[in-house]
Amino acid sequence: MSETFEPGATVIPKPLHLLTDHELERKEQVAKVTTRVLRYLTGEFESRGFDWLLPVVFSKSTDPLWPDPGASIEKRVETEIYGEPVRTTHSMIIHKLVASSTAYPKLFVLSPNVRIERRERKDTGRHAYEFTQFDFELRGAGSEDVRELVEAVVAGLVAHLKTTSDLPVSFGREAMKTPFEVLDRRDLIARHGQEWELVLPQQTSRPVWVTNIPREFYDYEDPATGRWDNYDLFVPYYGEILSGARREWEHDRIVSKMERDGIDQKNFSLLLRLSEEGRIKPSAGAGIGIERIVGWIVGAKHIGEVQPFPKVPGVVYDL
Ligand code: ATP
Ligand code: ASP
Ligand code: MG
């Protein structure tokens, strides 16, 4: 239950009907941890004035997941409804930009993400092909606002769970002293090479931020320095549990980044139109992978263990 996460040592999670009595008990305990995590996160954000939005499944625009140095997905799930092309949600980033600019200046959503990850990712222990993000956005915020918010909530969550001794939480080995250290990706490459994402979780004993990560067009990139104003939260053993950024909002910037990345602009027509009309507002936000944060908390070897119905890359069960 409290073993540390070791990449490569994964056992593929089984479906419910194949679990032993002992494994079913563990499954139920993990569900109790998940319930407490969700109650804590939603309660904290609600008490800080955020609105809780309901998620969507089909849209014309979704996260391009590109450029991605890992070229992570095997395919995009695209179909047609009512004669219109739609995609299943990769992430609700585009919705967050529009929603936070219009009716919901402070929002969060528990968003099901469908990403058909490359099948060899079944062995990372950190990837599912369906998962849930606790995704939030804050109009007018900067990176430090978001990092402070996340630090307060994560440290509060850990403190809250530690007081509940009946649950199988496995951390405690790392201190939750805030603020968390902020590291620049360039320094990590200099220290650990291109494999820094794998090395960092093994070397840190507490959560750390990594900034300046080249990503999709929607993360803010300083035109003068080329520095990306974004942040990923890495935790010991488990690795990345959150990604977020201050956002681009200006039409010309968004268009030039789409051109640079070879993104098909017709898949983002509404965002482009609104930004041209000056209706996209500056914001910042992030998404926490629910299965990742729970997996870290309970010491799961594979995040499929924390899913009632495991969605392991390359493995399609009945349910
Ligand atoms: P990774 O580099 O680990 O593959 P990513 O950087 O591509 O992840 P993001 O697009 O940043 O992922 O997604 C936001 C968050 O959603 C991540 O920080 C992580 O917590 C979670 N997440 C992303 N992909 C998966 C996945 N396949 N299974 C479970 N959680 C995921
Ligand atoms: N949720 C992420 C964000 O807010 C986007 C993603 O899923 O990559 O930046
Ligand atoms: Mg990420």
Side-chain angles (χ1 to χ4, degrees):
M1 206 158 277
S2 63
E3 301 102 326
T4 55
F5 172 68
E6 296 164 280
T10 47
V11 175
I12 300 309
K14 293 181 286 188
L16 286 175
H17 66 284
L18 297 180
L19 299 181
T20 63
D21 287 350
H22 177 69
E23 289 167 336
L24 285 170
E25 253 169 56
R26 157 87 170 154
K27 205 83 180 171
E28 197 183 344
Q29 284 179 318
V30 172
K32 291 197 191 308
V33 175
T34 309
T35 303
R36 282 193 203 182
V37 169
L38 290 172
R39 194 171 59 194
Y40 190 87
L41 292 178
T42 53
E44 280 299 304
F45 275 72
E46 195 259 322
S47 75
R48 287 168 155 83
F50 284 73
D51 291 325
W52 186 347
L53 307 195
L54 294 173
V56 296
V57 174
F58 291 119
S59 310
K60 290 187 182 179
S61 299
T62 192
D63 193 330
L65 298 181
W66 182 265
D68 175 351
S72 64
I73 55 172
E74 284 196 4
K75 66 183 282 189
R76 294 166 191 276
V77 181
E78 299 176 326
T79 185
E80 157 288 307
I81 52 175
Y82 310 116
E84 300 281 354
V86 288
R87 298 162 178 85
T88 52
T89 301
H90 283 154
S91 90
M92 280 183 63
I93 182 65
I94 309 298
H95 304 75
K96 290 200 305 176
L97 298 181
V98 173
S100 65
S101 296
T102 53
Y104 315 101
K106 296 172 84 172
L107 68 93
F108 70 89
V109 53
L110 280 164
S111 162
N113 290 190
V114 178
R115 300 187 189 178
I116 310 305
E117 302 280 3
R118 283 183 287 115
R119 63 197 69 200
E120 54 271 29
R121 284 195 157 183
K122 77 174 190 311
D123 296 319
T124 66
R126 299 186 302 120
H127 292 96
Y129 67 86
E130 278 185 41
F131 61 95
T132 300
Q133 279 198 61
F134 181 97
D135 221 353
F136 64 94
E137 199 71 19
L138 191 47
R139 189 195 299 172
S143 292
E144 278 182 22
D145 302 316
V146 173
R147 288 203 293 263
E148 276 173 28
L149 170 65
V150 170
E151 285 165 1
V153 171
V154 170
L157 171 67
V158 168
H160 171 71
L161 293 171
K162 275 183 176 168
T163 60
T164 48
S165 56
D166 57 319
L167 293 172
V169 295
S170 74
F171 51 42
R173 49 195 174 212
E174 64 272 352
M176 282 300 138
K177 202 164 144 291
T178 57
F180 302 152
E181 195 182 358
V182 182
L183 305 171
D184 189 299
R185 176 194 53 100
R186 280 171 310 195
D187 299 333
L188 287 166
I189 291 176
R191 215 179 301 160
H192 304 300
Q194 296 296 338
E195 297 291 284
W196 64 269
E197 280 196 59
L198 296 176
V199 179
L200 180 64
Q202 307 305 319
Q203 295 211 333
T204 183
S205 57
R206 52 180 60 163
V208 286
W209 293 107
V210 180
T211 61
N212 193 15
I213 304 169
R215 277 223 297 165
E216 292 86 347
F217 68 83
Y218 47 76
D219 282 10
Y220 187 81
E221 190 183 358
D222 187 326
T225 61
R227 199 180 175 287
W228 292 76
D229 192 2
N230 54 16
Y231 35 81
D232 281 6
L233 186 63
F234 280 73
V235 297
Y237 309 104
Y238 231 76
E240 177 191 322
I241 61 165
L242 167 150
S243 270
R246 178 156 82 93
R247 313 299 181 186
E248 301 283 3
W249 75 97
E250 290 173 317
H251 182 71
D252 292 355
R253 298 269 314 142
I254 296 176
V255 168
S256 72
K257 289 174 86 179
M258 284 183 171
E259 281 170 358
R260 179 180 76 185
D261 296 347
I263 298 285
D264 191 347
Q265 292 180 30
K266 79 171 176 336
N267 296 341
F268 299 93
S269 315
L270 177 70
L271 178 72
L272 288 168
R273 195 175 80 228
L274 293 180
S275 67
E276 196 166 23
E277 293 167 359
R279 294 176 64 196
I280 296 298
K281 308 290 180 211
S283 68
I288 302 173
I290 290 294
E291 293 83 353
R292 293 243 182 120
I293 196 170
V294 173
W296 166 55
I297 289 166
V298 302
K301 292 226 188 242
H302 196 294
I303 58 167
E305 282 174 43
V306 314
Q307 296 183 297
F309 307 102
K311 300 291 178 184
V312 179
V315 183
V316 181
Y317 295 133
D318 289 68
L319 300 181

